[in-house]
Amino acid sequence: MNYILHSVPPNVPFPHLRTSPPAHDSLAATSTAALHNAPLRIIAKTTSKEKPQKQEDDYHSTLKALNSKGRFPRKSLGQHYMLNASVNEELVAAANVTEGDIVLEIGPGTGSLTNALVTAGATVLAIEKDPYMAAVVRERFAGLDRVKVVEEDFTRSNIRSHMSSILLSKTPSDGNSSPAKVVANIPFNISTDVVKQLLPMGDIFSEVILLLQDEAALRLVDSSLKSSEYRPINIFVNFYSDPEYKIKVSRTNFFPQPKVDAAIAAFKVKKPTDYPRVSSIKSFFSMVNSAFNGKRKMLRKSLQHICPSSDIEAALSNAGLLPTSRPEELTLEDFVKLHNLIVKT
């Protein structure tokens, strides 16, 4: 059955973006209210050499785009559509997108962020799982060869293959092509999967700019030592990137409105030559995961499957750490030192 959305504006006006303390509620979508019918939006086609005309992306235009496919946002896909064009501009600015940049976008939805990216001069590869929304974006940018829509589940997509083909086609004659960027308003429920897939691709991407659940952004970027939020993902993020929390984005900027605020997080992706020096990346993260599997245990216990406890204690001492150290007390640099002392390759 097709559902028709209607066009009564939300009850809460768009707030200014701010960096106030985070809210820590659990994520859930609110139910949509009964609304009035809205006409379909007519999208003007552009030629491949033109930039699309600047279009306002707001509550009404979002509903019109959804109406065109008879769609409700799907909670199973984590769909929360951006209603405030200024947030999209903040995302574009955070990535410093300029003419000629190649940008990967994940979950373009109605194409509001895509519009901001191409207006800034980018070539966009948009990965969209929902076939209805993929059709909306294709129709919106029909005739514009700087927007390519791939209908796939991002978590199962071969991003390296997709991006490599685009980068090769855009490489200048001197061969000095610039790395691509990622700019995306992603479904909150795949944020960790997205980060794990993208950050080790420093040979392709230079920047990863994501609109995340606020709590997730804080956890990924700035979890403190000795806290319950400090986990292997923090070691992973800092191994592959330099993360930064940018700004908080109120939940009232989304449709449907989630129960949590969002935030823009920026990850400056490291080139492989800039990774911390470990004898084996695979064994390094295997050790880190083992350490946190026994989070309340001392490392001399949780890592004794790698080498005897006495050797671990000696390695901890050589690394300037207490023999009673636990995983939540070690920085990335500490784990690197410990790995290189106890893991034999």
Side-chain angles (χ1 to χ4, degrees), residues 66-84:
L66 292 171
N67 275 340
S68 71
K69 301 300 175 185
R71 301 294 288 168
F72 260 126
R74 296 175 62 186
K75 185 176 181 181
S76 63
L77 296 179
Q79 290 175 331
H80 297 274
Y81 298 108
M82 176 52 60
L83 303 177
N84 190 345

Side-chain angles (χ1 to χ4, degrees), residues 5-6 11 30-36 59 72 255:
L5 299 177
H6 307 276
N11 294 326
T30 58
S31 60
T32 55
L35 309 163
H36 297 293
Y59 183 80
F72 260 126
F255 173 77

Side-chain angles (χ1 to χ4, degrees), residues 103-115 118 123-153 157 159 162-163 165-166:
V103 176
L104 170 67
E105 184 185 3
I106 304 157
T110 61
S112 62
L113 177 56
T114 316
N115 183 47
V118 296
T123 294
V124 180
L125 171 65
I127 308 292
E128 176 57 67
K129 182 178 180 179
D130 186 338
Y132 295 92
M133 304 319 298
V136 166
V137 179
R138 286 195 187 101
E139 292 169 9
R140 178 169 185 173
F141 300 100
L144 187 69
D145 65 2
R146 290 193 292 109
V147 177
K148 178 182 179 182
V149 181
V150 175
E151 188 181 310
E152 286 182 355
D153 180 344
S157 184
I159 297 302
H162 289 313
M163 292 302 303
S165 63
I166 294 178

Side-chain angles (χ1 to χ4, degrees), residues 87-330:
V87 178
N88 292 326
E89 291 168 2
E90 291 280 357
L91 283 161
V92 172
N96 192 28
V97 175
T98 57
E99 186 75 32
D101 280 347
I102 297 172
V103 176
L104 170 67
E105 184 185 3
I106 304 157
T110 61
S112 62
L113 177 56
T114 316
N115 183 47
L117 289 167
V118 296
T119 299
T123 294
V124 180
L125 171 65
I127 308 292
E128 176 57 67
K129 182 178 180 179
D130 186 338
Y132 295 92
M133 304 319 298
V136 166
V137 179
R138 286 195 187 101
E139 292 169 9
R140 178 169 185 173
F141 300 100
L144 187 69
D145 65 2
R146 290 193 292 109
V147 177
K148 178 182 179 182
V149 181
V150 175
E151 188 181 310
E152 286 182 355
D153 180 344
F154 173 80
T155 61
R156 300 179 181 179
S157 184
N158 189 336
I159 297 302
R160 184 174 293 278
S161 176
H162 289 313
M163 292 302 303
S164 294
S165 63
I166 294 178
L167 288 167
L168 285 172
S169 68
K170 299 291 183 181
T171 300
S173 58
D174 62 8
N176 295 320
S177 59
S178 299
K181 299 174 180 179
V182 181
V183 184
N185 169 15
I186 63 174
F188 290 166
N189 57 359
I190 65 168
S191 58
T192 300
D193 292 333
V194 169
V195 166
K196 286 183 175 180
Q197 188 166 344
L198 292 177
L199 295 192
M201 298 175 71
D203 56 326
I204 293 180
F205 299 112
S206 60
E207 304 277 348
V208 174
I209 310 299
L210 301 176
L211 187 58
L212 305 168
Q213 182 181 348
D214 185 57
E215 185 176 343
L218 287 166
R219 185 170 63 246
L220 290 171
V221 171
D222 194 27
S223 284
S224 301
L225 289 173
K226 300 183 180 180
S227 75
S228 61
E229 298 299 327
Y230 189 63
R231 300 170 184 173
I233 189 64
N234 298 108
I235 305 300
F236 181 94
V237 166
N238 286 281
F239 187 97
Y240 287 113
S241 73
D242 295 314
E244 181 182 358
Y245 182 102
K246 289 290 190 179
I247 56 173
K248 185 173 180 178
V249 177
S250 172
R251 67 196 77 181
T252 58
N253 288 297
F254 296 89
F255 173 77
Q257 185 181 131
K259 289 187 176 179
V260 293
D261 294 320
I264 296 175
F267 304 86
K268 185 175 179 59
V269 185
K270 296 177 183 177
K271 296 179 180 179
T273 53
D274 296 327
Y275 297 162
R277 299 298 182 191
V278 293
S279 54
S280 165
I281 292 177
K282 181 177 180 180
S283 67
F284 173 74
F285 283 109
S286 176
M287 184 200 76
V288 170
N289 288 329
S290 294
F292 279 90
N293 281 339
K295 190 169 183 180
R296 293 196 175 101
K297 294 181 180 178
M298 289 179 283
L299 291 167
R300 65 188 183 192
K301 296 291 185 183
S302 59
L303 297 180
Q304 60 185 349
H305 65 287
I306 298 176
C307 62
S309 295
S310 57
D311 290 352
I312 296 171
E313 288 185 20
L316 287 166
S317 178
N318 288 337
L321 301 167
L322 294 173
T324 55
S325 294
R326 302 176 192 273
E328 65 270 23
E329 298 170 341
L330 271 65

